[in-house]
Each structure stands twice: as C-alpha cells, then as structure tokens.
Amino acid sequence: MPKAVRFRTTGGPEVLVYEDVTVGEPAAGQARVRHTAIGVNFIDTYHRTGLYPLPLPSGIGLEAAGVVEAVGPGVDYLAPGDRVAYAGGPPGSYSQARLIPADRLVKVPEGITDQQAAAMMLKGLTVQYLIRRTYRVQSGQTVLFHAAAGGVGLIACQWLKALGCTVIGTVGSDDKAALARAHGCDHTIVYTRENFAERVKEITGGAKVPVVYDSVGKDTFMGSLDCLQPLGMLAVFGNGSGPVPPFDLGLLAQKGSLFLTRPTLVTYTAKRADLVAMANELFEVVQSGKVKIEVRQSLALADAARAHTDLEARKTTGSTVLLP
C-alpha cells in the first residue's frame, strides 16, 4: 500500500503524519501517477498552518514528477509510461502515488531529470508568469527581486540575467548574497543590516526600479513601494513574513500612481493551453543552460516535517525535494 504525508489539524510541522493511503483507478479525466521526486514549497507551510485553509483531513504538496501508471476515460494526450510533472492542482503531492486531473500534467522532455522537474515546476512556472506575463521585463531594465537566494529567487536571477536585466536581490545573510551573485544577481542587499529601499535608490542613482517582485509580504511591503518609479508595479506573490495588512489605497497615488497586483500560479495556468505553453518556455530555458535547476536539499518523504522546519527557519537555499 502506498504511503503519503497528510494532516488532520493545522499547526506546526509536527501535525504532518506519514501513513498508508489507498489509491484507486483513475476516473474520467484523471491519471494515476507514481511519484519519483516531490517538490517542497513555502505555500505548503501556508496550507499546513491554515493561512491558506484546506478542508481537513488533507494531503499536502502541489508539485512532483513521476511516471503515469494509468489514465482514465477521455485522456488521449497521455499514456502509461510517460514521464510527467505538475505544479498546482489539488494538494497531495507528498505521496508515493496519487490520482490527479490529467490536464494538470505536462510531459517532461529528455535532458531534464525527475528531481530537476520536481524542483522546477512550481518555482519555475512562478518565475515565468512573473517576468513574462505579470510584468514583462525588457532588456536593459533594473528590477528588484526579494529572497533572491530562495528557490524562486535563484531561478529568477538567472532568467532575468539571460533577458538582459540588471538584478537587485535582497537576502538574509552574506552566504546567501554570495549564492545569489553566483546565479546572476548583480547587486545583493542583506536586509538584516541594510535598508533595502535606500540601497535601491543608491544603486539606481535615485531612479528606482519599474518593478518589484515580493514574496516576503508584511515586512517588505512598504519598502517595496518606496523602491518603485512612478507608474511602477509591485507584484506581491507570497507571504513569507506574514500577510500584508490593510493599507490606504491612496498611498499608491501618493507614491507615483503605482500598480499593485497579487498574482497566483493557479490563475495563470487555469487553461491547459497556457500551462503547456508556460512549461515549454521553462523547459526550453533550462535545456539551453541559461537557467540551471539545483536541488540543494533532498530528504526522504517520511522526513517532510523536517523539510518544513528547515524551510521556515530559512535554513534552505534553492530547491528542496522529497524522495518517495
């Protein structure tokens, strides 16, 4: 019987339980996937704590790679034996096998390993929509990306650099600053000892930046607004330090008719055609060597609680995968 990590109540990492599960045959529009590698993401901790509520009891995890074992009626674009990966969809990737809507699966091309695929889908697709759709960056622009040494940040630094951008990244330590610079970040700001808004002004000669990508949330929100040029955009795509509190909308006018958006991967990949196109662009940039996917931590599926503990303590860099 396959194993999975589930939780029955919200709380700390200790609520995660490794247990037997039953996986049946796929219904119409479904596929059964045997996982070979599972991605760990900060949004998983939001589900576990209840910040993003799920009906309980629940599986957890939104990203994995594996092999199709069976497909249900109506699925003619996948077949048993196909290597596939996914990000998003119903939670439950922390498992050895599962049923999943087949239209959420994309085929993994040759040259990309299962661990890379599991580590790149959610983070890489997030970067894709942020820099190619939410605010489509142009060569020669300077951008600010918070948490530049994280899983999303390291992909973003490389991809932005490949597009001809100058990248300013915030990080939490000197070691993380070195890591971000090694992945294309031109200027690093250690936010624990530097005022990042003031440093952005210094780096840009007072011009500031047209876009800020912010997954930190509460602690960086106001400073991020202060980094923007008039008509600039702040894309808040995470809550690493907690959700942004209510604020006076008039601040956007006062600070230069700014744009603010709270995008999600779910919205951008809602249509299968968009999902496939986004994944193909991600696969191409990785296969070209312009973006390297580095799995920097790997643990057994049974050690999911430890993975969450390390992630929330900011002990991790790059991507973490669980191995079933």
Side-chain angles (χ1 to χ4, degrees):
M1 184 173 287
K3 297 277 193 179
V5 173
R6 295 175 58 80
F7 65 113
R8 292 176 175 80
T9 184
T10 56
E14 70 280 356
V15 303
L16 299 177
V17 179
Y18 186 60
E19 61 188 13
D20 291 330
V21 293
T22 300
V23 180
E25 294 301 312
Q30 288 186 323
R32 188 175 69 235
V33 177
R34 174 174 50 81
H35 290 147
T36 53
I38 299 155
V40 177
N41 296 281
F42 221 98
I43 192 173
D44 303 345
T45 70
Y46 300 163
H47 287 149
R48 191 205 71 229
T49 62
L51 179 62
Y52 292 178
L54 295 175
L56 298 177
S58 176
I60 189 169
L62 296 174
E63 177 182 46
V67 178
V68 174
E69 289 189 322
V71 296
V75 180
D76 56 6
Y77 45 88
L78 294 172
D82 284 346
R83 293 177 64 229
V84 293
Y86 64 89
S93 68
Y94 287 22
S95 58
Q96 293 176 336
R98 71 174 298 189
L99 298 175
I100 189 168
D103 68 351
R104 296 294 87 195
L105 300 171
V106 296
K107 294 182 181 180
V108 178
E110 293 298 320
I112 293 177
T113 69
D114 290 0
Q115 287 197 36
Q116 285 177 317
M120 72 191 282
M121 288 298 292
L122 193 146
K123 302 174 188 70
L125 290 175
T126 296
V127 174
Q128 194 281 342
Y129 82 69
L130 286 171
I131 71 175
R132 307 301 285 155
R133 297 181 67 188
T134 300
Y135 183 96
R136 191 174 178 89
V137 299
Q138 304 296 319
S139 178
Q141 289 184 317
T142 299
V143 305
L144 173 62
F145 208 101
H146 286 294
V152 174
L154 292 182
I155 295 173
C157 287
Q158 296 175 82
W159 203 335
L160 287 164
K161 197 64 181 175
L163 292 171
C165 294
T166 297
V167 186
I168 304 172
T170 65
V171 293
S173 68
D174 290 325
D175 287 344
K176 290 188 175 184
L179 181 63
R181 287 193 297 270
H183 287 76
C185 191
D186 297 280
H187 305 277
T188 53
I189 301 170
V190 182
Y191 65 83
T192 51
R193 64 167 184 262
E194 300 177 275
N195 182 311
F196 71 84
E198 290 300 319
R199 285 286 292 123
V200 167
K201 292 177 189 176
E202 293 174 10
I203 292 167
T204 61
K208 303 185 184 179
V209 297
V211 62
V212 176
Y213 298 107
D214 189 341
S215 62
V216 179
K218 176 173 65 70
D219 290 353
T220 52
F221 179 74
M222 294 305 297
S224 292
L225 292 177
D226 289 336
C227 293
L228 287 169
Q229 301 168 357
L231 306 181
M233 176 180 285
L234 171 56
V236 178
F237 65 100
N239 309 291
S241 65
V244 175
F247 74 101
D248 180 0
L249 196 63
L251 283 173
L252 301 180
Q254 296 170 20
K255 293 179 181 295
S257 299
L258 303 179
F259 293 86
L260 171 65
T261 183
R262 180 58 175 87
T264 69
L265 182 61
V266 171
T267 305
Y268 279 91
T269 60
K271 297 178 181 178
R272 176 165 176 79
D274 290 335
L275 168 63
V276 172
M278 292 167 64
N280 286 342
E281 186 173 6
L282 172 61
F283 291 146
E284 287 170 9
V285 78
V286 172
Q287 287 175 307
S288 73
K290 294 176 181 176
V291 172
K292 294 178 172 59
I293 304 298
E294 299 177 11
V295 177
R296 303 185 70 88
Q297 297 87 210
S298 60
L299 298 90
L301 176 59
D303 293 329
R306 179 182 153 200
H308 277 219
T309 298
D310 291 347
L311 189 65
E312 291 177 299
R314 302 296 197 276
K315 291 181 179 179
T316 65
T317 57
S319 298
T320 300
V321 298
L322 301 174
L323 302 177

